[in-house]
Amino acid sequence: ETGVTQSPTHLIKTRGQQVTLRCSSQSGHNTVSWYQQALGQGPQFIFQYYREEENGRGNFPPRFSGLQFPNYSSELNVNALELDDSALYLCASSLGVAGAHTGELFFGEGSRLTVL
Amino acid sequence: GENVEQHPSTLSVQEGDSAVIKCTYSDSASNYFPWYKQELGKGPQLIIDIRSNVGEKKDQRIAVTLNKTAKHFSLHITETQPEDSAVYFCAASLINQAGTALIFGKGTTLSVSS
């Protein structure tokens, strides 16, 4: 069974640039969530994708956007980067079955973004 | 919306002692309460979870208790070992057809000294 994989592991951007982070979900999982974890804090929910549609969003501005592909992999895009966007971005996969959801989220190792 | 408070922020114990971490939540509709362990440079790892229809759950040296009336839940680790040293996060969420959006506490750094 393949776990959640994320790329890149580390990257450095400058303020105003755009970034794309990628995630492959655990085998058999069809739901992907993205979380932002600032240093010394707990992860914060950004959004979740199920069947290629966003079906839940946290308190993040529209410049945070995402996609889910038919193979359930996902991308997180952040436009107009700000210094406060520096954080560990975590992808988590889970299993949703028609009309229900297991609840258990399995996280990847994250992508560490530094904005200068 | 949901808010999760976690205490203590740091916890130091001797190997073999027990460790207890406590969390409170605000939304009585929440029905799923997982605990995650995060080691340095890694993503959070699910170690145990509990649902609102259960008061207690145990898995070897780890146990979780839930008090729905008081809206708090706790993680208990017995016979601690140095490899238990990590940051532990509690979380709460409402599982529905749309999925699960976890609201995390701020974490507890557990240090186990031998």
Side-chain angles (χ1 to χ4, degrees):
Chain A
E1 184 177 273
T2 308
V4 178
T5 58
Q6 294 187 242
S7 63
T9 55
H10 295 82
L11 69 167
I12 300 174
K13 294 285 188 178
T14 56
R15 195 170 47 182
Q17 285 189 311
Q18 178 265 344
V19 67
T20 297
L21 308 177
R22 295 178 175 82
C23 171
S24 294
S25 59
Q26 182 167 312
S27 177
H29 286 182
N30 56 12
T31 303
V32 174
S33 306
W34 287 91
Y35 287 77
Q36 179 196 66
Q37 186 177 23
L39 203 60
Q41 300 294 316
Q44 282 196 306
F45 175 67
I46 303 175
F47 43 53
Q48 177 177 270
Y49 279 83
Y50 173 64
R51 292 185 173 178
E52 302 177 52
E53 290 190 1
E54 183 183 298
N55 70 349
R57 189 178 184 93
N59 189 26
F60 281 81
R63 59 190 186 83
F64 285 78
S65 63
L67 286 172
Q68 186 181 31
F69 300 100
N71 66 353
Y72 306 128
S73 66
S74 177
E75 286 183 355
L76 165 64
N77 299 289
V78 187
N79 293 322
L81 284 167
E82 301 177 358
L83 298 179
D84 285 349
D85 295 334
S86 294
L88 180 67
Y89 288 85
L90 295 161
C91 171
S93 74
S94 55
L95 179 61
V97 180
H101 198 275
T102 63
E104 294 138 337
L105 268 60
F106 296 89
F107 284 86
E109 302 285 89
S111 294
R112 172 75 62 187
L113 171 65
T114 301
V115 182
L116 302 176
Chain B
E2 177 65 277
N3 182 52
V4 176
E5 300 282 342
Q6 183 172 348
H7 299 279
S9 56
T10 60
L11 181 57
S12 296
V13 300
Q14 292 284 327
E15 182 177 3
D17 287 350
S18 295
V20 180
I21 303 171
K22 298 182 178 181
C23 290
T24 60
Y25 61 99
S26 61
D27 189 349
S28 57
S30 290
N31 60 6
Y32 177 63
F33 308 92
W35 286 86
Y36 284 85
K37 175 184 181 182
Q38 187 172 28
E39 297 175 331
L40 200 61
K42 296 192 173 183
Q45 176 190 7
L46 178 67
I47 56 172
I48 196 168
D49 58 11
I50 192 167
R51 297 172 195 266
S52 59
N53 59 347
V54 176
E56 184 173 358
K57 184 177 178 181
K58 190 173 182 180
D59 182 5
Q60 299 182 350
R61 296 186 297 110
I62 295 174
V64 58
T65 59
L66 171 65
N67 183 326
K68 285 192 298 181
T69 303
K71 288 190 281 187
H72 66 70
F73 56 114
S74 301
L75 177 71
H76 304 252
I77 306 174
T78 59
E79 301 172 21
T80 54
Q81 301 166 4
E83 51 265 39
D84 293 330
S85 297
V87 181
Y88 290 80
F89 292 97
C90 63
S93 77
L94 170 63
I95 301 177
N96 54 29
Q97 294 181 3
T100 304
L102 295 178
I103 305 301
F104 283 84
K106 291 192 174 182
T108 296
T109 301
L110 174 63
S111 300
V112 181
S113 53
S114 54

